[in-house]
């Protein structure tokens, strides 16, 4: 052997490294999973599967999830994570949104004490010896902590095995559920992932792979966890999803003015009386237990379902036939089902894969049951719900926020966002992981948010990144341009939304948005939108402008004498000749009269006026069919 080679070999042995066999820089996370699995005796596929369901192996820049979980293994520390506040505490929205009744005031509940499921970082620290700060911020230590917890749970079950199938009980325990149904739902999804495999590059550039491993889990181990038995008898959920019935109260009470009233939803008979047209995606702006306390309060707000972040568990509160007070617009409320996801839009926290998957299962079921199209004209965020009249526009809520991954969500729904060719429309679809707008105010006013993947695309007044943002007279009545404040969507579009193309200049595309041309950077090599087609509306010939509405209410002549007429009031926006907006759906005019506790007095008022739903800005809005022409998007 040559002297130089001998020296290199000896040096390598002394230093404990061999350059030839060193892992590539993007394989560190994979090696950390292997090492932690070996150290604590956990099957590597199980460790990878659990981590994927919690974080998709991401670090999320050391920030907590919507349920206070940190790192790839989602170790929880609610003391360090922001505990949140009341339900959507940014805004003045009346969740009922019915002008015929007094507005509802928020009813914040008492503080909720942290539960053990939100403090797993302490257990991991005791098992590994690693400080809690390291377990939150260091991916390697975080993975070690998750492996140690799985090993502890397995030991508690009393099974010694290196067969992944025998770790079903430990995986079910890891999700943190208190009942057998929720625990099984989480474990089943983990083992489904193990069976199908996964392969992706994480948010910090690590390539991690879980090879498809056929496993038939030993589900009987669930009985050893000592969890309470769950039942879904009263719920409306798909069989593949464990749901819990936690009813919202429909009851009378005396309000602070001494008058008898009721809450917190209205009885109905949908879809016989009204079609269910929308599914509204919310985030809770509060932790699980506190939010459940809120929906049990008859004096305030309600929604149909709540989804838990850590394991995707689902609770139902209001039946489909009834109308929940959830979206701040009575027309939308009366024709929608609301899903609240444990999370915080303003804090920039991330949503777990477990919750995305449960939500997608539930929405697929609802969409099939009520024939709701799986598109962004019908599956909308709370931030897409319009204000009812000019005075309510500014106070409307804006959850689930710019960090909800709509493209991934529609992949899970089985309705991926795909190009259709350049037919006059674009569907917004940036690369979620690489698209990181610099928002401010997530935690403190004016302070930059932690950079992270987003579905939002920012619009400018000119094809220039240094030009001002667009103006929204509803959100900013003073006429100033939009800002990068996290809650300011004056000049912001979201993934899946469709807009009519107004102009193209090089790498910049302009769309029609709130009566303006909104420009966004859309280079071919890194597009922020894909070509699409469909229908658009334009003002009828001879009309210089067309009113835009926040609800599709009937004309005055449609109301019987015993039901007060609801005014049809246009919003403060302008739809002018020459502009084009994409069509979501055609709608009949309806108003649901339901402001008495006795549901026998409720009635649906239907008018002759027809409306067309359009993607007018960040929010959907409505125009009267008599005011517009509907035509193919490729026509001129």
């Amino acid at each position: 052997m040559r002297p130089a080679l001998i020296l290199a070999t000896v040096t390598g042995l002394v230093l404990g490294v061999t350059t030839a066999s060193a892992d590539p820089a993007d394989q560190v996370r994979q090696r950390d999973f292997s090492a932690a699995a070996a150290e604590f005796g956990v099957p590597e596929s199980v460790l990878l599967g659990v981590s994927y369901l919690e974080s998709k192996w991401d670090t999320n820049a050391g920030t907590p999830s919507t349920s206070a979980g940190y790192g790839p293994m989602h170790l929880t520390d609610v003391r360090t994570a922001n505990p949140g506040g009341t339900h959507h505490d940014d805004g003045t929205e009346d969740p009922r949104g019915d002008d015929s009744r007094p507005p509802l005031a928020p009813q914040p509940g008492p503080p909720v004490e942290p539960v053990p499921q939100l403090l797993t970082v302490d257990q991991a620290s005791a098992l590994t010896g690693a400080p809690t700060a390291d377990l939150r911020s260091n991916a390697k230590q975080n993975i070690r902590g998750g492996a140690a917890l799985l090993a502890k749970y397995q030991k508690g079950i009393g099974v010694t095995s290196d067969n992944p199938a025998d770790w079903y009980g430990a995986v079910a325990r890891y999700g943190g559920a208190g009942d057998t149904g929720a625990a099984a739902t989480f474990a089943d999804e983990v083992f489904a992932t193990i069976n199908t495999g996964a392969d992706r590059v994480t948010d910090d550039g690590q390539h991690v792979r879980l090879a498809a491993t056929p496993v038939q889990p030993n589900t009987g181990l669930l009985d050893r966890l000592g969890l309470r038995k769950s039942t879904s008898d009263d719920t409306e959920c798909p069989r593949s999803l464990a749901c819990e019935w936690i009813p919202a109260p429909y009851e009378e009470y005396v309000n602070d003015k001494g008058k008898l009233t009721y809450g917190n939803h209205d009885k109905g008979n949908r879809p016989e009386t009204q079609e269910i047209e929308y599914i509204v995606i919310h985030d809770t702006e509060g932790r699980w237990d506190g939010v459940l306390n809120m929906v049990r309060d008859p004096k305030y707000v309600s929604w149909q379902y709540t989804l838990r972040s850590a394991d995707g568990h689902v609770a139902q509160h209001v039946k489909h036939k009834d109308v929940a007070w959830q979206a701040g617009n009575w027309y939308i409320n009366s024709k929608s089902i609301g899903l609240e996801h444990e999370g915080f839009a303003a804090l920039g926290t991330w949503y777990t894969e477990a919750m995305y998957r449960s939500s997608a299962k539930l929405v697929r079921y609802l969409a099939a049951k009520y024939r709701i199209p799986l598109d962004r004209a019908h599956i909308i965020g709370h931030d897409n719900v319009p204000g009812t009249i000019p005075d309510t526009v500014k106070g409307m809520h804006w959850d689930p926020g710019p960090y909800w991954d709509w493209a991934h969500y529609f992949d899970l729904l089985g309705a991926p966002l795909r190009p259709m060719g350049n037919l006059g429309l674009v569907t917004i679809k940036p690369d979620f992981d690489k698209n990181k707008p610099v928002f401010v105010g997530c935690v403190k006013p004016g302070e930059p948010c932690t950079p992270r993947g987003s579905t939002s695309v920012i619009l400018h007044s000119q094809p220039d990144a240094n030009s001002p943002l667009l103006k929204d007279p509803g959100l900013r009545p003073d006429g100033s341009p939009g800002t990068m404040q996290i809650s300011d969507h004056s000049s912001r579009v979201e993934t899946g939304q469709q807009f009519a193309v107004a102009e193209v200049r090089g790498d910049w595309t302009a769309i029609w948005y709130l009566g303006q041309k909104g420009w966004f950077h859309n280079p071919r090599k890194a597009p922020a939108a894909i070509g699409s087609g469909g229908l658009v509306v334009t003002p009828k010939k001879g009309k210089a402008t067309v009113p835009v509405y926040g609800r599709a209410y009937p004309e005055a002549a449609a109301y019987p004498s015993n039901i007060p007429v609801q005014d049809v009031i246009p919003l403060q926006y302008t739809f002018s000749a020459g502009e084009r907006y994409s069509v979501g759906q055609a709608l009949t005019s309806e108003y649901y009269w339901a402001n008495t506790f006795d549901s026998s007095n409720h009635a649906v008022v239907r008018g002759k006026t027809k409306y067309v739903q359009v993607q007018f800005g960040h929010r959907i809005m409505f125009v009267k069919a008599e005011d517009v022409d509907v035509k193919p998007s490729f026509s001129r």
Side-chain angles (χ1 to χ4, degrees):
M1 184 178 290
R2 296 177 182 178
L5 184 57
I6 294 173
L7 178 61
T9 303
V10 171
T11 301
L13 292 173
V14 170
L15 295 177
V17 298
T18 54
T19 305
S21 63
D23 288 329
D26 67 346
Q27 294 293 307
V28 173
R29 181 86 25 87
Q30 188 86 54
R31 184 183 63 199
D32 289 343
F33 277 112
S34 297
E39 179 182 0
F40 294 98
V42 180
E44 187 172 347
S45 62
V46 169
L47 188 61
L48 285 164
V50 169
S51 179
Y52 190 90
L53 253 290
E54 295 287 23
S55 69
K56 294 174 67 178
W57 307 321
D58 287 337
T59 62
N60 289 285
T63 59
S65 78
T66 57
S67 54
Y70 290 83
M73 294 303 300
H74 198 258
L75 300 180
T76 56
D77 188 352
V78 74
R79 296 161 308 195
T80 304
N82 192 307
T86 62
H87 183 80
H88 310 314
D89 42 359
D90 182 10
T92 57
E93 179 185 282
D94 168 13
R96 188 166 53 199
D98 183 2
D99 291 351
S100 71
R101 293 179 268 188
L104 293 170
Q107 302 289 325
V112 179
E113 292 298 320
V115 295
Q117 293 90 330
L118 297 180
L119 291 169
T120 60
V121 70
D122 289 350
Q123 300 176 52
S125 179
L127 293 168
T128 63
T132 55
D134 288 351
L135 288 163
R136 291 193 301 267
S137 61
N138 183 294
K140 178 178 180 178
Q141 295 302 326
N142 185 273
I143 293 168
R144 289 185 67 241
L149 284 173
L150 280 167
K152 175 187 176 182
Y153 299 153
Q154 183 72 358
K155 183 178 180 180
I157 291 172
V159 175
T160 302
S161 173
D162 58 4
N163 183 349
D166 294 329
W167 285 71
Y168 184 88
V171 170
R173 173 73 76 187
Y174 197 97
D179 66 279
T180 56
T185 295
F186 177 78
D188 288 345
E189 202 63 48
V190 169
F191 278 91
T193 302
I194 293 171
N195 275 276
T196 59
D199 190 323
R200 70 181 297 266
V201 175
T202 67
D203 59 355
D204 57 347
Q206 292 291 304
H207 185 191
V208 183
R209 179 173 181 265
L210 167 58
T213 308
V215 178
Q216 186 66 39
N218 183 359
T219 58
L221 294 171
L222 186 67
D223 294 335
R224 300 194 183 188
L225 300 183
L227 303 176
R228 61 181 171 84
K229 298 294 183 182
S230 58
T231 176
S232 299
D233 292 347
D234 293 322
T235 63
E236 298 162 295
C237 285
R239 292 183 179 179
S240 60
L241 198 61
C243 293
E244 182 179 7
W245 177 243
I246 301 176
Y250 185 72
E251 60 185 50
E252 291 183 298
Y253 66 92
V254 176
N255 64 19
D256 55 3
K257 296 181 180 180
K259 294 184 177 181
L260 186 65
T261 185
Y262 72 96
N264 59 12
H265 59 281
D266 282 294
K267 293 296 183 182
N269 190 29
R270 306 184 306 175
E272 282 74 17
T273 53
Q274 284 188 289
E275 292 290 336
I276 298 174
E277 305 278 4
Y278 305 99
I279 297 172
V280 183
I281 304 299
H282 304 255
D283 75 53
T284 60
E285 296 301 317
R287 305 270 181 225
W288 175 261
D289 290 337
V291 169
L292 294 188
N293 289 340
M294 184 177 297
V295 81
R296 293 185 179 107
D297 184 351
K299 298 180 181 180
Y300 188 37
V301 69
S302 63
W303 53 91
Q304 271 80 14
Y305 296 93
T306 306
L307 290 92
R308 189 162 60 203
S309 175
D311 60 354
H313 179 52
V314 179
Q316 185 177 0
H317 315 294
V318 177
K319 295 292 186 179
H320 299 168
K321 68 181 184 64
D322 299 327
V323 179
W325 301 347
Q326 43 108 7
N329 182 314
W330 184 242
Y331 177 79
I332 300 292
N333 280 343
S334 66
K335 298 177 74 64
S336 70
I337 291 174
L339 277 62
E340 290 277 1
H341 299 77
E342 186 181 13
F344 305 91
L347 300 178
T349 47
W350 46 280
Y351 299 96
T352 65
E353 181 68 5
M355 187 164 65
Y356 275 127
R357 293 193 178 195
S358 288
S359 182
K361 286 181 181 179
L362 180 56
V363 170
R364 286 200 307 269
Y365 163 78
L366 296 173
K369 185 172 184 177
Y370 297 110
R371 302 186 301 278
I372 301 172
L374 291 172
D375 59 38
R376 290 287 272 117
H378 298 82
I379 313 301
I380 60 177
H382 195 171
D383 58 331
N384 306 136
V385 175
T388 54
I389 58 176
D391 289 346
T392 65
V393 169
K394 189 175 181 179
M396 294 295 288
H397 292 150
W398 52 276
D399 55 296
Y403 303 123
W404 178 268
D405 191 346
W406 284 106
H408 179 54
Y409 192 55
F410 272 81
D411 286 343
L412 294 173
L413 288 174
L417 306 174
R418 291 175 175 156
M420 295 173 56
N422 297 316
L423 301 175
L425 297 179
V426 289
T427 299
I428 306 301
K429 192 186 178 186
D431 184 319
F432 180 82
D433 292 325
K434 296 179 181 178
N435 181 52
K436 299 180 179 180
V438 184
F439 297 118
V440 298
C442 286
V443 179
K444 296 180 180 179
E447 184 177 284
C449 304
T450 301
R452 63 172 64 252
S454 171
T455 58
S456 296
V457 171
I458 309 303
L459 301 178
H460 293 265
S461 54
Q462 297 293 331
D464 180 353
N466 295 316
S467 66
L469 304 186
L470 302 186
K471 298 178 180 180
D472 184 335
L475 290 184
R476 307 180 73 79
D478 62 359
S480 60
T483 69
M484 293 303 290
Q485 172 67 29
I486 187 71
S487 60
D488 184 356
H489 53 72
S490 301
S491 193
R492 189 184 305 174
V493 290
E494 292 295 330
T495 294
Q497 293 180 329
Q498 289 190 328
F499 294 89
V501 176
E503 190 177 347
V504 177
R505 293 187 201 170
D507 288 342
W508 287 79
T509 298
I511 57 174
W512 290 112
Y513 185 94
L514 298 180
Q516 306 156 80
K517 283 185 180 181
W519 292 89
F520 64 95
H521 195 229
N522 191 33
R524 290 186 178 182
K525 292 184 178 180
I530 53 179
S532 189
L535 298 175
V536 296
V537 293
T538 59
K540 279 193 179 296
K541 187 176 180 179
K543 287 185 175 288
T545 61
V546 168
V548 179
Y549 302 91
R551 51 197 182 187
Y553 275 179
E555 67 281 2
Y559 290 82
S561 58
N562 64 317
I563 297 179
V565 172
Q566 303 299 302
D567 293 333
V568 179
I569 303 173
L571 300 177
Q572 55 268 75
Y573 302 106
T574 301
F575 178 8
S576 300
E579 299 172 11
R580 298 153 60 91
Y581 294 93
S582 65
V583 172
Q585 58 182 319
L587 296 159
T588 58
S589 52
E590 295 179 2
Y591 172 68
Y592 184 41
W593 170 252
N595 62 356
T596 61
F597 184 71
D598 182 359
S599 60
S600 66
N601 294 321
H602 297 178
V604 177
V605 179
R606 290 187 174 85
K608 295 180 180 179
T609 306
K610 306 294 183 184
Y611 288 85
V612 179
Q613 175 186 317
V614 296
Q615 190 65 61
F616 194 69
H618 191 91
R619 301 182 188 271
I620 61 171
M621 298 181 199
F622 308 98
V623 293
K624 291 182 179 179
E626 63 188 27
D627 289 337
V628 297
D629 288 322
V630 178
K631 58 182 67 175
S633 57
F634 56 79
S635 66
R636 288 294 174 182

